[in-house]
Amino acid sequence: MTQTLHGNWSYEGDSVKAIPAREFPDVEADVTYTAFRKQSRPMTEEEKVSRCGNASPS
């Protein structure tokens, strides 16, 4: 999944690599992540169609 996030970001720096702390006000960035969903029961036929967009067996 990819979402666009907007906000204020800060980096606390890295004293070992001599990278200073910085502030990033009003930043917009695309963030990609993977979502995992644990299911406690099998999906019904109606859920397969409405959530997966098809009626094929899983």
Side-chain angles (χ1 to χ4, degrees):
M1 302 174 125
T2 300
Q3 284 187 320
T4 299
L5 302 181
H6 194 140
N8 298 319
W9 299 79
S10 64
Y11 178 70
E12 297 195 10
D14 188 334
S15 59
V16 174
K17 297 178 183 175
I19 299 172
R22 290 184 62 190
E23 295 287 327
F24 301 93
D26 198 31
V27 173
E28 187 172 290
D30 287 333
V31 177
T32 301
Y33 60 93
T34 303
F36 293 94
R37 181 171 176 264
K38 185 176 179 181
Q39 206 167 291
S40 59
R41 62 168 176 77
M43 292 175 81
T44 65
E45 291 303 317
E46 184 180 335
E47 288 172 332
K48 286 180 187 177
V49 173
S50 65
R51 296 181 188 212
C52 301
N54 63 46
S56 62
S58 47

